[in-house]
Amino acid sequence: MKILENISLAKYTTFKIGGNARFFCVVTSEDELVEAVKFAKEKNTDGHALPFLVLGGGSNMLVSDKGFNGLVIKMEMKNTVINDEDSIMSSSAGELWDSLVECSVNNGLYGLENLSAIPGTVGAAPVQNIGAYGAEVSQTLLDVRSLDTKSMTFVNFSNKDCKFGYRDSIFKHERDSKTGQPRYIITAVAFQLTRKGVLKMDYKDVKEYFEKNHVTGPTLSDLRKAIVEIRESKLPDWKVWGTAGSFFKNPSVPAAQFAELKNKFPDLPGFPENDGSVKVSLGYVLDKVCDAKGLMMGNVGTYDKQALVLIAKSGATAAEVYSLVDELKRRVKEKTGIVIEAEVDMIG
Ligand code: EPU
């Protein structure tokens, strides 16, 4: 495994923004991952271990213009195994997420199809519990294998151990108390799928797609095709724009606050949650309440078909994105009183 120096991170993220990584390496096995983490631990400057950043597809992060003053570990371990008898699919962290979904659908295994065409890697999927069109990784995930960077041993997490929430899991929060670094690095994930699944078609966009295309009794592959086409029609082309998909989380507000908002904005979509709060569609708020759909500020803006998605032209800087983010936060706070939070990881 080679450790490179001063590598531009712009080409490793889908935002296509970001300065250099001080050190950079590609790992293709668990042994190489251990070697990389040891390098960071040993290369300490003034008593502090070098920080490390685990990179999958770079599709959910915004790297600062300064870059990352540490070791970037690019996960490239690839291997997928299907256990036919019990419908379990296991995959290494560096596999492309959508290759796994495609493989599951081609093999008649139900469970991941609504998560089709999400960019990124398998190892990143549990970290933020990726979700779309009525499905979340947490619904089918069986277990996760990871490197505990504190003890330098490999440990397994059951689904319950992962403490999944909306775009959330234990992997976002558990940190080494000494270094402040994320403690666990995911190396493989297993999914419990099924051959006798029921298609999830309740999501508004999915229902509308099948009605419009006069598809009755869709199959597993039809649903994957539908999701791919819906995403293509709503989300920017990654080859043209820099983007990390939805930039903010959909916020949750107390039921009383939602009722007040609904009075002012009767069409505001909201989804009641188990704890009594209501999840608000921020895309709607940015679009219809804040008039921010298609807003451009310099080289960055909100996508003209989905206001929750930020886009960047070639040559855009992270500083420009921060300004846009501040402006959107300000407008939402002013119009609704809601404080919004980024979904994308801000690095450096
Ligand atoms: N809406 C508008 N205007 C907009 C955007 C949305 O009026 O500009 C309305 C829509 O009409 C709809 C509601 O807002 O009534 C919600 O929009 P949508 O169904 O597109 O979903 P979302 O909440 O904006 C979430 C995920 C997406 C995921 C979609 C589909 C988050 C942060 N985002 O978006 O995930 O693809 O649902 O399930 O939860 C991502 O994480 O990067 C991502 C793209």
Side-chain angles (χ1 to χ4, degrees), residues 60 128 131-134 166-167 203-205 231 234-235 244-250 269 271 281-288 293 303 305-309 343:
N60 199 50
Q128 59 145 349
Y133 305 104
Y166 167 59
R167 294 293 196 270
Y203 205 89
K204 190 175 125 217
D205 292 359
R231 288 188 76 92
K234 287 232 158 163
L235 299 169
S246 300
F247 192 89
F248 300 100
K249 287 185 193 170
N250 283 318
F271 304 91
S281 291
L282 183 58
Y284 180 95
V285 173
L286 289 169
D287 174 5
K288 312 280 188 332
K293 184 153 82 170
Y303 188 50
K305 293 188 193 121
Q306 227 298 3
L308 193 54
V309 172
E343 192 235 293

Side-chain angles (χ1 to χ4, degrees), residues 122-299:
V122 168
V127 178
Q128 59 145 349
N129 185 17
I130 57 170
Y133 305 104
E136 272 183 358
V137 145
S138 60
Q139 293 163 349
T140 45
L141 183 139
L142 185 61
D143 58 24
V144 167
R145 179 172 160 86
S146 74
L147 173 65
D148 177 353
T149 60
K150 192 171 178 197
S151 63
M152 294 306 276
T153 56
F154 285 89
V155 288
N156 277 359
F157 286 81
S158 69
N159 184 308
K160 196 161 167 259
D161 297 335
C162 295
K163 298 192 178 146
F164 287 121
Y166 167 59
R167 294 293 196 270
D168 201 25
S169 74
I170 193 167
F171 304 105
K172 278 195 168 180
H173 304 287
E174 278 283 311
R175 290 182 179 264
D176 185 317
S177 54
K178 265 201 212 134
T179 61
Q181 289 284 285
R183 178 164 169 185
Y184 300 102
I185 300 177
I186 295 175
T187 59
V189 189
F191 295 91
Q192 178 65 67
L193 305 177
T194 174
R195 292 197 179 278
K196 296 186 193 120
V198 178
L199 298 179
K200 287 192 205 74
M201 297 189 299
D202 291 342
Y203 205 89
K204 190 175 125 217
D205 292 359
V206 178
K207 271 193 206 147
E208 282 173 6
Y209 174 95
F210 285 123
E211 275 162 24
K212 200 176 96 201
N213 291 285
H214 309 290
V215 180
T216 45
T219 62
L220 187 55
S221 326
D222 290 336
L223 183 50
R224 173 169 163 79
K225 184 168 171 272
I227 302 285
V228 170
E229 288 181 17
I230 294 167
R231 288 188 76 92
E232 275 171 4
S233 71
K234 287 232 158 163
L235 299 169
D237 183 347
W238 305 80
K239 287 175 205 97
V240 176
W241 295 99
T243 181
S246 300
F247 192 89
F248 300 100
K249 287 185 193 170
N250 283 318
S252 282
V253 299
Q257 188 182 353
F258 184 71
E260 272 174 39
L261 289 169
K262 199 74 180 162
N263 257 338
K264 272 171 117 176
F265 314 108
D267 294 332
L268 175 67
F271 304 91
E273 300 201 275
N274 292 338
D275 63 1
S277 60
V278 180
K279 184 166 297 148
V280 178
S281 291
L282 183 58
Y284 180 95
V285 173
L286 289 169
D287 174 5
K288 312 280 188 332
V289 177
C290 300
D291 194 24
K293 184 153 82 170
L295 170 76
M296 288 301 294
M297 283 174 52
N299 290 310

